[in-house]
Amino acid sequence: MSINATLIGQMITFALLVWFTMKYIWPPLFDSLEERKKKIADGLAAAEKGQEQIILAEKKAKVVLKEAKDQSSEIVTLAQKRANEIVEESKHIAKQEGERLILAAKGQIDQELQQAKEGLRKEITTLALSAAQQILGAEIDKAKHQDILNKVSSQLG
Amino acid sequence: MATEAHAEGATGYIIHHLTSLRVGEGFWSLHLDTLFFSVLLGGVFIWFFKNAAEKATAGVPGLAQNFAEMLIEFVDTQVKDSFHGHSKLIAPLALTIFCWVFLWNFMDMFPVDILPGIAGLMGIEYLRVVPSTDLNATFAMSISVFCLIIFYSIKIKGPIGFAKELMFQPFGPWLTPFNLLLKLVEEIAKPISLALRLFGNLYAGELIFILIALLPWYVQPLLSFPWAIFHILIITLQAFIFMVLTIVYLSMAHEDH
């Protein structure tokens, strides 16, 4: 129960412990705590910033989306207009082409008609001549009556 | 053990438990048990914290680091609450005091007969396992703190400032002798109250455990169990009080009037 030299031993031990703690224990642990505190603060700040950026980006995206929508509807309108135009144009072209074809066909028909008429005329002339030959016999000279024959054939035209 | 002790008588049993393992005579003697256990527990403290400090990272902390950091934050909060200057010493000092005193006190949680019993088998006659029931241990700590108080008082206020404070406060220069007496008592009361408070609480706690150990075995659990639970509170509280008072005294020493 008495106070003795143990006191001195204890004081030395205590001093050593405090010194060791001060030198090797407190600083690294405390620094790591502070560093983590800073890290967490930075992280939180970054998160907040990120969230702000998200909001900004969302706003931007909305604007872009709206622009795109407007643009696309514009494009669709234009395309529709253009399509109508093309349809109209092709209709027009088709109509013209049709008319042209009809005209050409008509021309061809006319031509063929003329040819047929010509052919018929010649054939009739020949027929009439042969008929006349048969009727008149050898008395009618082909060369002598060429004028009359020509007159007849022109009357047939 | 209890029956053996009864053979010697209850008083003999108690005295046996309260006698230190001592070498030497007079002042130049040593309490080997106190020294051994406080150095051992200091080693436990240093080992644990050194281990945590070596692996300390600002990333995800391990279990040991987590616990060490919890204590560091706790001590740091206490220091910041009452100490407003800058000092590299006070926080580590407070941490050392808190942990070391707590570990001392924790030795009280071992059943009173186990360690002395083992020591007895090894041929050691006396063994007191709780260093804080030895006045030498508590006074060693409180006197160290007292030296720091005086050191910082002189360092911060200057020798003249400190002398002035001792002589002229609180009642002014006309009552210098009275002031001096009052101040000296106040200063000296600090280490004495620190040491005796810790010693008294733990000594009484230990004594009650010893008294409970004297009772018949079927009564012992009924008493020692609640007392042990209550004692968990006491040992922590005493370690905490020692630490907080140290911080407060040192912050008072830092205050320049």
Side-chain angles (χ1 to χ4, degrees):
Chain A
M1 196 53 30
S2 53
I3 297 287
N4 55 32
T6 313
L7 185 80
I8 296 161
Q10 287 288 102
M11 280 171 84
I12 293 165
T13 314
F14 182 54
L16 285 174
L17 281 180
V18 171
W19 169 79
F20 193 87
T21 310
M22 200 168 90
K23 189 106 183 169
Y24 297 109
I25 286 173
W26 188 271
L29 280 170
F30 197 71
D31 287 352
S32 79
L33 270 178
E34 290 294 307
E35 205 183 318
R36 183 165 333 120
K37 225 181 259 176
K38 201 178 156 287
K39 258 190 183 174
I40 290 170
D42 288 352
L44 285 176
E48 213 166 289
K49 211 175 159 192
Q51 228 144 17
E52 268 171 30
Q53 271 172 347
I54 284 174
I55 290 168
L56 274 179
E58 265 173 9
K59 272 186 192 165
K60 213 174 168 184
K62 262 183 195 167
V63 170
V64 169
L65 209 66
K66 202 176 169 295
E67 261 174 29
K69 262 185 191 168
D70 286 354
Q71 231 163 17
S72 69
S73 68
E74 206 174 303
I75 287 168
V76 167
T77 317
L78 272 176
Q80 255 166 0
K81 208 173 148 197
R82 181 87 189 101
N84 283 343
E85 271 175 15
I86 288 169
V87 168
E88 286 300 315
E89 215 171 292
S90 52
K91 264 186 193 169
H92 188 66
I93 289 169
K95 214 174 168 187
Q96 274 185 340
E97 182 73 15
E99 273 167 12
R100 202 181 58 76
L101 281 174
I102 288 168
L103 274 178
K106 264 185 186 167
Q108 214 169 357
I109 289 167
D110 277 353
Q111 214 180 350
E112 272 171 20
L113 199 66
Q114 285 297 326
Q115 272 177 356
K117 271 183 181 172
E118 193 76 21
L120 274 175
R121 196 187 295 154
K122 278 179 185 163
E123 229 163 289
I124 284 176
T125 312
T126 322
L127 272 175
L129 205 62
S130 73
Q133 267 179 337
Q134 278 175 8
I135 296 166
L136 295 175
E139 270 174 72
I140 292 168
D141 189 6
K142 218 177 182 179
K144 226 176 173 180
H145 303 287
Q146 190 67 40
D147 286 348
I148 300 163
L149 286 171
N150 279 349
K151 224 181 261 174
V152 172
S153 87
S154 75
Q155 268 169 359
L156 282 166
Chain B
M1 286 300 289
T3 43
E4 237 175 273
H6 273 298
E8 299 171 13
T11 320
Y13 177 72
I14 293 170
I15 288 172
H16 176 264
H17 268 278
L18 295 177
T19 308
S20 293
L21 180 65
R22 184 172 169 168
V23 290
E25 282 300 317
F27 179 76
W28 292 110
S29 55
L30 290 172
H31 289 169
L32 288 182
D33 43 5
T34 302
L35 284 171
F36 173 75
F37 281 110
S38 33
V39 169
L40 180 77
L41 294 169
V44 168
F45 161 69
I46 290 290
W47 169 78
F48 178 78
F49 274 85
K50 184 72 192 149
N51 200 22
E54 265 168 7
K55 291 181 197 153
T57 118
V60 180
L63 206 61
Q65 195 193 344
N66 225 340
F67 184 67
E69 280 177 357
M70 191 188 83
L71 283 171
I72 291 224
E73 284 238 288
F74 164 71
V75 170
D76 192 52
T77 314
Q78 299 302 327
V79 171
K80 279 190 178 134
D81 277 352
S82 38
F83 182 74
H84 301 294
H86 282 285
S87 172
K88 280 189 172 174
L89 173 74
I90 290 189
L93 175 77
L95 178 73
T96 314
I97 289 178
F98 179 72
C99 295
W100 207 26
V101 171
F102 177 80
L103 289 171
W104 281 357
N105 295 351
F106 190 80
M107 294 306 289
D108 215 2
M109 302 309 290
F110 288 104
V112 285
D113 279 327
I114 279 193
L115 293 173
I118 293 169
L121 291 177
M122 286 158 65
I124 298 165
E125 196 181 354
Y126 297 109
L127 190 74
R128 286 178 72 189
V129 295
V130 191
S132 35
T133 58
D134 187 341
L135 272 176
N136 288 302
T138 61
F139 264 112
M141 199 176 257
S142 72
I143 288 171
S144 306
V145 170
F146 180 66
C147 292
L148 284 173
I149 293 172
I150 301 297
F151 171 73
Y152 278 113
S153 292
I154 292 170
K155 190 185 164 196
I156 303 290
K157 297 162 190 166
I160 297 166
F162 185 49
K164 266 189 189 168
E165 194 188 299
L166 284 182
M167 287 188 285
F168 301 152
Q169 281 180 9
F171 298 123
W174 294 108
L175 287 164
T176 297
F178 188 63
N179 286 339
L180 192 62
L181 186 72
L182 206 68
K183 274 281 174 187
L184 284 179
V185 169
E186 191 189 317
E187 292 299 321
I188 290 166
K190 285 174 184 174
I192 293 178
S193 68
L194 271 180
L196 288 183
R197 182 184 302 109
L198 179 60
F199 166 75
N201 273 283
L202 269 293
Y203 190 80
E206 175 81 343
L207 195 62
I208 287 174
F209 275 125
I210 295 169
L211 289 176
I212 291 170
L214 280 169
L215 295 169
W217 65 268
Y218 48 86
V219 189
Q220 283 187 26
L222 288 177
L223 292 169
S224 61
F225 178 63
W227 181 245
I229 287 178
F230 184 57
H231 214 59
I232 292 174
L233 179 70
I234 292 178
I235 61 175
T236 321
L237 194 66
Q238 287 307 319
F240 178 69
I241 288 172
F242 206 114
M243 175 190 79
V244 167
L245 284 178
T246 304
I247 298 168
V248 169
Y249 290 157
L250 284 174
S251 69
M252 278 162 73
H254 275 75
E255 269 162 25
D256 203 350
H257 293 290

